Amino acid sequence: MEETVEDPPTSAVLLDHCHFSQVIFNSVEKFYVPGGDVTCYYTLTQHFIPRRKDWIGIFRVGWKTTREYYTFMWVALPADLRSESAKQQEVQFKAYYLPKDDEYYQFCYVDQDGVVRGASIPFQFRPENEEDILVVTTQGEVEEIEQHNKELCKENQELKDSCVSLQKQNSDLQAELHKKEEELETLKSTSKKSDQRAKAQKERWETELLRLKEENQKVSSENEKMGVRVDQLQAQLSTQEKEMEKLVQGDEEKTEQLELLKKENSQLLLTLTHQDENAGLSKTLSENKIICNVLQREKERLERENDLLKRENSRLLSYMGLDFDSLPYQAPTSDQGGAGQNPGLVFGNPYSGIQESSAPSLLGVRRCPTCKSGFADDLFDGAAEQRTQSLCLNCPICDKTFPAKEKQIFEDHVFCHTL
């Protein structure tokens, strides 16, 4: 039976779990002469059924598992297991594959499950003693043996070279494996450090995110409060602006309220300057304050003009021989706001209670081209100059003069001082 390249089925079953009595080996010699084929005879018991992958191996005495075989041969399946001849079997091992030392070996029958079913007595591979037998060899046998020895030496050298190559390859693989292990350790260390850094960075980002969320909530709450406060201030400022307009159009009795509103506006301006988010409101308040100052100056100028007119009226009345205090005072009403009433005079027109025929000997009277008020010839030039000044707008900061019809330019100019 020829040996194949396929390895036999083996197992790690210990000797205590083997069944050595199911296959019995017969005619086993105490020793076999090296260089010759060995025939192994064995008998199958009636309780054992051979299978296709069963094999017989030569094991060194002291083996532990079926993987420790030296060489093996596949068994031949009998044609009829029930015949008596089928129980007697044999297998032949070629001399080339037999052990070359003088250690003790034995035959073992192993089934396809890797379980030992039978074992022989130990034997050796050694030549017979010279005292026991006289060896007679021919020249042809000697040459055959020498040729066989040369082949064995050549094969041995090839095996040695192959072993050296395999050892070198193994050394290279070990070095490469060691290098790969170092690279793996380096990668693990780097990966671990990267994971730690990523984890720390993630924690910092989470902390920063929580902090930003808290700040966002605080800012949102403050913005809501500030928005409410701005609405309140805007409503209060609007109310005060209306009151200031009423006060500017009123008389001197409203001066104290105007001063109070100016103080409140100053307080509002001080409050708004500490709130960066309400810069627009602060700017509006500053503009209103400037407008209030302009209106206050305009009011003071009108009061001065009114005083001047009162003195002029007194002089004219004394010139006419009338007493100013004896004239009845007529308060301006809505019904008296016609073309003959001067809207710029606080105390009304003093000439409205005097008939034109009561002063026939007066100097020629000249009228203002704007308000149609009458003036004496010698007073017309001074009054006209004062009236022209009243029709101009003076900047309260740089004293620059603008015509009354250029009110928008004047307001833009005043606003530029606040920037």
Side-chain angles (χ1 to χ4, degrees):
M1 181 178 184
E2 297 182 357
E3 182 181 9
T4 60
V5 180
E6 183 181 2
D7 292 335
T10 59
S11 67
V13 179
L14 299 179
L15 297 177
D16 297 340
H17 299 84
C18 298
H19 307 278
F20 296 116
S21 61
Q22 295 182 356
V23 177
I24 301 173
F25 290 91
N26 305 319
S27 303
V28 180
E29 304 291 340
K30 292 182 179 180
F31 64 89
Y32 294 92
V33 179
D37 297 339
V38 174
T39 302
C40 172
Y41 300 97
Y42 61 94
T43 301
L44 302 176
T45 62
Q46 60 180 355
H47 300 293
F48 177 73
I49 300 176
R51 290 180 289 180
R52 186 174 60 87
K53 288 290 185 178
D54 292 355
W55 54 281
I56 294 176
I58 297 177
F59 292 80
R60 180 179 294 178
V61 174
W63 59 275
K64 299 297 183 182
T65 67
T66 57
R67 298 173 183 173
E68 300 177 13
Y69 64 90
Y70 185 86
T71 185
F72 76 98
M73 293 295 295
W74 297 107
V75 300
L77 293 178
D80 187 6
L81 295 176
R82 289 176 290 185
S83 63
E84 188 66 25
S85 61
K87 301 297 183 182
Q88 303 295 329
Q89 298 292 326
E90 65 180 39
V91 64
Q92 189 177 49
F93 292 90
K94 297 296 182 180
Y96 181 76
Y97 299 104
L98 296 176
K100 305 299 186 293
D101 54 16
D102 57 353
E103 296 290 335
Y104 283 92
Y105 294 87
Q106 63 180 152
F107 298 113
C108 293
Y109 187 101
V110 184
D111 63 8
Q112 68 178 12
D113 296 328
V115 179
V116 178
R117 300 297 181 175
S120 68
I121 61 174
F123 56 86
Q124 288 181 290
F125 293 92
R126 65 176 179 82
E128 296 181 359
N129 295 331
E130 294 180 357
E131 299 176 355
D132 298 336
I133 188 171
L134 178 61
V135 178
V136 179
T137 58
T138 63
Q139 184 65 28
E141 292 177 352
V142 172
E143 291 177 356
E144 184 180 356
I145 292 173
E146 288 178 355
Q147 182 66 26
H148 185 64
N149 287 336
K150 289 180 181 180
E151 292 178 358
L152 291 177
C153 290
K154 183 179 180 180
E155 183 180 0
N156 186 24
Q157 186 62 35
E158 292 177 355
L159 291 175
K160 286 182 179 180
D161 295 340
S162 177
C163 182
V164 171
S165 177
L166 290 175
Q167 287 178 353
K168 183 179 179 181
Q169 185 178 1
N170 186 28
S171 177
D172 295 339
L173 291 176
Q174 290 290 340
E176 186 177 358
L177 178 61
H178 182 68
K179 183 178 179 180
K180 294 296 183 182
E181 289 178 350
E182 291 180 352
E183 292 179 356
L184 181 61
E185 292 295 331
T186 303
L187 289 176
K188 287 182 179 179
S189 177
T190 304
S191 177
K192 186 176 181 181
K193 291 180 181 179
S194 299
D195 292 341
Q196 291 177 354
R197 288 196 297 267
K199 185 177 181 181
Q201 183 69 18
K202 182 180 179 182
E203 292 178 354
R204 288 196 296 269
W205 286 348
E206 290 177 352
T207 304
E208 184 68 16
L209 182 60
L210 292 176
R211 185 183 65 81
L212 291 176
K213 286 183 178 180
E214 292 178 357
E215 291 183 357
N216 189 20
Q217 292 178 355
K218 291 181 181 179
V219 170
S220 298
S221 178
E222 292 179 358
N223 286 337
E224 292 178 358
K225 295 180 181 178
M226 199 65 64
V228 175
R229 179 60 177 166
V230 167
D231 293 338
Q232 294 176 354
L233 292 176
Q234 288 179 347
Q236 187 175 358
L237 183 61
S238 177
T239 303
Q240 291 180 358
E241 287 177 353
K242 294 179 181 179
E243 293 179 357
M244 287 173 62
E245 292 177 358
K246 293 180 181 179
L247 289 175
V248 170
Q249 295 175 359
D251 55 7
E252 293 180 351
E253 295 178 358
K254 303 296 182 178
T255 303
E256 295 180 358
Q257 294 182 5
L258 181 62
E259 294 296 331
L260 180 60
L261 289 176
K262 287 171 65 178
K263 292 181 180 180
E264 290 180 356
N265 284 337
S266 299
Q267 293 177 357
L268 290 174
L269 180 61
L270 181 62
T271 302
L272 292 175
T273 53
H274 293 289
Q275 300 176 358
D276 296 336
E277 296 81 356
N278 299 327
L281 184 59
S282 176
K283 183 171 66 176
T284 304
L285 184 60
S286 300
E287 295 174 1
N288 291 336
K289 183 177 180 181
I290 293 173
I291 295 173
C292 180
N293 292 333
V294 172
L295 294 177
Q296 178 66 22
R297 289 189 181 186
E298 182 69 15
K299 180 178 177 295
E300 292 174 356
R301 188 188 62 75
L302 292 175
E303 289 177 353
R304 290 194 301 269
E305 181 182 358
N306 193 19
D307 292 338
L308 180 61
L309 292 175
K310 287 173 65 177
R311 288 195 299 270
E312 181 66 22
N313 289 338
S314 298
R315 189 182 69 80
L316 291 175
L317 291 174
S318 63
Y319 179 81
M320 294 168 55
L322 299 176
D323 188 6
F324 179 79
D325 295 333
S326 64
L327 294 175
Y329 173 72
Q330 294 181 359
T333 61
S334 59
D335 297 336
Q336 296 174 353
Q341 181 68 26
N342 187 356
L345 300 180
V346 178
F347 297 98
N349 188 354
Y351 300 103
S352 61
I354 303 175
Q355 297 179 357
E356 294 181 359
S357 60
S358 62
S361 62
L362 288 176
L363 297 175
V365 177
R366 300 177 63 182
R367 295 188 177 277
C368 176
T370 303
C371 61
K372 305 302 180 181
S373 300
F375 294 93
D377 290 339
D378 57 348
L379 298 178
F380 178 79
D381 294 336
E385 181 179 359
Q386 293 179 359
R387 186 61 180 172
T388 303
Q389 294 179 356
S390 66
L391 296 177
C392 296
L393 300 175
N394 297 324
C395 178
I397 298 176
C398 64
D399 295 331
K400 187 176 180 179
T401 304
F402 295 87
K405 63 182 180 179
E406 298 180 357
K407 183 178 180 181
Q408 182 63 38
I409 299 176
F410 166 73
E411 291 178 355
D412 294 339
H413 171 77
V414 175
F415 176 71
C416 290
H417 287 295
T418 64
L419 300 178

